[in-house]
Amino acid sequence: MTSAFQFRLLMLASFCWLGIQAGVITVNSDIPNNLEQQEGRIVGGQQTDIANHPYQVSIGLDSAVLIHICGGSIYAPRVVITAAHCLKGRYAYTLRVVTGLTTLADSAEQGVAVQKLIYHSGYVKKTHANDVGLVILKEALTYSANVQPIVLARTATVVGAHAVATGWGKSDENAQKMSEVLQAVELQIVDSLECCVQYATKQYVITEEMLCAAAEEGGKDTCQGDSGGPLVVDGTLVGIVSWGIGCAQHYPGVYASVPYHFEWIEQQAAVYM
Ligand code: ARG
């Protein structure tokens, strides 16, 4: 006997599956605002050193001191990959990119100036669709042990793969401040259908251009302030920190899929390589 609940789950699963296959899922436009994603610092992570993640950068708002707003990953000497939501509505001259640092407060460091912000034309704030963007630097970075580019993943990541996310975001969703020292957290890639079904109960849609990651044991996630930063599997960039409901609550973190956006990234970056 199928209960109404099972039936509903089945409907959700079919909806998710069809949407993912077709890549054309569009979303209910009445997303309740109280469910808006939390911005975030890594939850349940450990302190790490930039030398272990030399592709990680901080995107800072240029004021009296630099204010960290998002993470990013070095792709080429003048190209940093981040989330569209970190860039939309901002101007290049207000941002700076800090590389090679483990502790952000150390930064008498003023980072490098930004020439241009590029974000995906299909980015939609409400649905978090196509949350990918590039920060083009005015000058080329000089690579060193602590400043290195990361290779992009070209093929879809397997479910259960071990991934690591890094950032200076909040260590829980209610924290007042960002983390001063770079944090790393180990996560696993979550089945997109499962993730889609979970989020469908909250009227959010997981599309094929997103991927989900979480820890089986719970208590680990990216959070506000980690956005735009890297999710890495086997030394390749597979995801860009994008959104989630809460941090390390009952929902996986959602990342823009790098394999999906590979061509967009390559095309946009080509001019600056
Ligand atoms: N939107 C957030 C930011 O701007 C990232 C949130 C990630 N949330 C999560 N539960 N993984 O920093």
Side-chain angles (χ1 to χ4, degrees):
M1 214 182 68
T2 328
S3 68
F5 177 73
Q6 281 170 320
F7 180 73
R8 197 171 125 79
L9 256 190
L10 189 71
M11 293 304 291
L12 285 174
S14 328
F15 174 70
C16 287
W17 188 81
L18 288 171
I20 289 169
Q21 294 311 305
V24 292
I25 278 182
T26 47
V27 144
N28 177 345
S29 54
D30 309 311
I31 291 167
N33 269 330
N34 55 347
L35 290 178
E36 255 317 281
Q37 73 291 345
Q38 313 272 329
E39 315 275 303
R41 149 183 164 184
I42 284 183
V43 183
Q46 292 175 342
Q47 291 197 1
T48 185
D49 192 282
I50 193 74
N52 301 323
H53 308 278
Y55 45 83
Q56 170 86 52
V57 306
S58 162
I59 299 174
L61 192 59
D62 196 4
S63 73
V65 287
L66 278 190
I67 301 165
H68 169 86
I69 57 165
C70 273
S73 303
I74 301 170
Y75 174 58
R78 289 185 59 211
V79 184
V80 165
I81 299 175
T82 188
H85 82 257
C86 295
L87 305 181
K88 190 166 184 186
R90 298 191 186 275
Y91 296 97
Y93 70 86
T94 65
L95 300 180
R96 299 187 70 92
V97 170
V98 177
T99 62
L101 279 193
T102 299
T103 305
L104 281 186
D106 287 353
S107 51
E109 170 73 62
Q110 282 302 291
V112 289
V114 171
Q115 178 180 317
K116 190 176 178 188
L117 307 178
I118 302 172
Y119 61 84
H120 199 294
S121 59
Y123 169 64
V124 181
K125 185 170 184 215
K126 207 161 213 167
T127 61
H128 314 280
N130 302 301
D131 197 4
V132 50
L134 303 180
V135 175
I136 309 300
L137 306 176
K138 273 194 180 152
E139 297 155 43
L141 297 170
T142 308
Y143 291 154
S144 67
N146 293 341
V147 181
Q148 286 289 318
I150 190 161
V151 170
L152 306 186
R154 299 198 64 152
T155 50
T157 321
V158 295
V159 173
H162 288 278
V164 57
T166 43
W168 290 276
K170 294 183 180 172
S171 56
D172 78 73
E173 59 187 68
N174 300 314
Q176 298 298 308
K177 290 205 297 189
M178 303 283 168
S179 178
E180 286 198 344
V181 180
L182 185 64
Q183 305 281 310
V185 68
E186 288 189 24
L187 302 168
Q188 285 109 50
I189 303 299
V190 170
D191 180 58
S192 291
L193 180 55
E194 241 171 69
C195 186
C196 187
V197 169
Q198 270 180 284
Y199 274 105
T201 63
K202 297 289 185 193
Q203 265 78 57
Y204 281 96
V205 178
I206 304 299
T207 65
E208 64 170 345
E209 57 85 18
M210 301 174 185
L211 60 88
C212 301
E216 226 170 297
E217 68 277 22
K220 294 181 178 181
D221 197 1
T222 46
C223 198
Q224 282 79 339
D226 292 320
S227 276
L231 179 74
V232 171
V233 173
D234 288 335
T236 64
L237 187 69
V238 304
I240 301 164
V241 180
S242 178
W243 64 282
I245 295 181
C247 301
Q249 298 292 327
H250 304 287
Y251 300 89
V254 189
Y255 299 76
S257 164
V258 168
Y260 184 92
H261 289 294
F262 183 85
E263 267 147 40
W264 184 88
I265 295 170
E266 269 210 324
Q267 261 172 27
Q268 300 296 320
V271 192
Y272 306 98
M273 305 284 281

